[in-house]
Coordinates of all heavy atoms in Angstrom, one line a residue:
K1216 N 90.1 100.0 87.4 CA 90.1 99.2 86.1 C 90.6 100.1 85.0 O 90.2 101.2 84.8 CB 88.6 98.7 85.8 CG 88.4 97.3 86.2 CD 87.1 96.8 85.6 CE 86.9 95.4 86.0 NZ 85.7 94.8 85.7
S1217 N 91.5 99.5 84.2 CA 92.0 100.2 83.1 C 91.1 100.1 81.9 O 90.1 99.4 81.9 CB 93.4 99.7 82.8 OG 93.3 98.4 82.3
I1218 N 91.5 100.8 80.9 CA 90.7 100.8 79.6 C 90.6 99.4 79.1 O 89.6 99.1 78.4 CB 91.3 101.8 78.6 CG1 90.3 102.1 77.6 CG2 92.6 101.2 78.0 CD1 90.7 103.3 76.8
N1219 N 91.5 98.5 79.3 CA 91.4 97.1 78.8 C 90.6 96.2 79.8 O 90.5 95.0 79.5 CB 92.8 96.5 78.5 CG 93.7 96.4 79.8 OD1 93.2 96.7 80.9 ND2 94.9 96.1 79.6
G1220 N 90.1 96.8 80.8 CA 89.2 96.0 81.7 C 89.9 95.3 82.9 O 89.3 94.6 83.6
N1221 N 91.3 95.5 83.0 CA 92.0 94.8 84.0 C 92.2 95.7 85.3 O 92.3 96.9 85.2 CB 93.4 94.4 83.5 CG 93.3 93.4 82.4 OD1 92.5 92.5 82.4 ND2 94.2 93.5 81.4
N1222 N 92.2 95.0 86.4 CA 92.6 95.7 87.7 C 94.1 95.4 87.9 O 94.6 94.3 87.7 CB 91.8 95.1 88.8 CG 90.4 95.4 88.7 OD1 90.0 96.6 88.8 ND2 89.5 94.4 88.5
Y1223 N 94.8 96.4 88.3 CA 96.3 96.2 88.5 C 96.6 96.4 90.0 O 96.2 97.3 90.7 CB 97.1 97.2 87.7 CG 97.0 96.8 86.2 CD1 96.1 97.5 85.4 CD2 97.7 95.8 85.7 CE1 95.9 97.1 84.1 CE2 97.6 95.5 84.4 CZ 96.8 96.1 83.6 OH 96.6 95.7 82.2
Y1224 N 97.4 95.4 90.5 CA 97.9 95.4 91.9 C 98.9 96.5 92.1 O 99.8 96.6 91.3 CB 98.5 94.0 92.2 CG 99.1 93.9 93.5 CD1 98.4 94.1 94.7 CD2 100.5 93.6 93.6 CE1 99.0 93.9 95.9 CE2 101.1 93.5 94.9 CZ 100.4 93.7 96.0 OH 101.0 93.6 97.2
K1225 N 98.7 97.4 93.1 CA 99.5 98.5 93.4 C 100.7 98.2 94.3 O 101.6 99.0 94.5 CB 98.7 99.7 94.0 CG 97.7 100.2 93.1 CD 97.1 101.5 93.6 CE 96.4 101.4 94.9 NZ 95.6 102.6 95.3
G1226 N 100.7 97.0 94.9 CA 101.8 96.6 95.7 C 101.6 96.8 97.2 O 102.5 96.7 98.0
G1227 N 100.4 97.1 97.6 CA 100.1 97.4 99.0 C 99.9 96.1 99.8 O 99.9 95.0 99.2
E1228 N 99.8 96.2 101.1 CA 99.7 95.1 102.0 C 98.2 94.6 101.9 O 97.3 95.3 102.0 CB 100.0 95.5 103.4 CG 100.0 94.3 104.4 CD 100.4 94.6 105.8 OE1 99.6 95.1 106.5 OE2 101.6 94.4 106.0
I1229 N 98.1 93.3 101.8 CA 96.8 92.6 101.8 C 96.7 91.9 103.1 O 97.6 91.2 103.6 CB 96.7 91.6 100.6 CG1 96.9 92.3 99.3 CG2 95.4 90.8 100.7 CD1 97.1 91.4 98.1
T1230 N 95.5 92.0 103.8 CA 95.3 91.4 105.1 C 94.1 90.5 105.0 O 93.0 90.9 104.5 CB 95.0 92.4 106.2 OG1 96.1 93.3 106.2 CG2 94.9 91.8 107.5
L1231 N 94.3 89.2 105.4 CA 93.2 88.2 105.4 C 93.0 87.8 106.9 O 94.0 87.7 107.6 CB 93.6 87.0 104.6 CG 93.9 87.2 103.1 CD1 94.3 85.9 102.5 CD2 92.7 87.8 102.4
R1232 N 91.8 87.5 107.3 CA 91.5 87.2 108.6 C 90.7 85.9 108.6 O 89.7 85.7 107.9 CB 90.7 88.3 109.3 CG 90.3 88.1 110.7 CD 89.6 89.3 111.3 NE 88.9 89.1 112.5 CZ 89.4 89.4 113.7 NH1 90.6 89.9 113.8 NH2 88.7 89.1 114.8
Q1233 N 91.0 85.0 109.5 CA 90.3 83.7 109.7 C 88.9 83.9 110.1 O 88.6 84.7 111.0 CB 91.1 82.8 110.7 CG 90.5 81.5 110.9 CD 91.3 80.7 111.9 OE1 92.5 80.9 112.1 NE2 90.7 79.7 112.5

Side-chain angles (χ1 to χ4, degrees):
K1216 259 190 180 176
S1217 68
I1218 198 165
N1219 63 6
N1221 293 325
N1222 292 295
Y1223 290 98
Y1224 173 63
K1225 296 190 297 189
E1228 184 175 83
I1229 298 167
T1230 305
L1231 303 176
R1232 182 178 165 97
Q1233 185 177 335

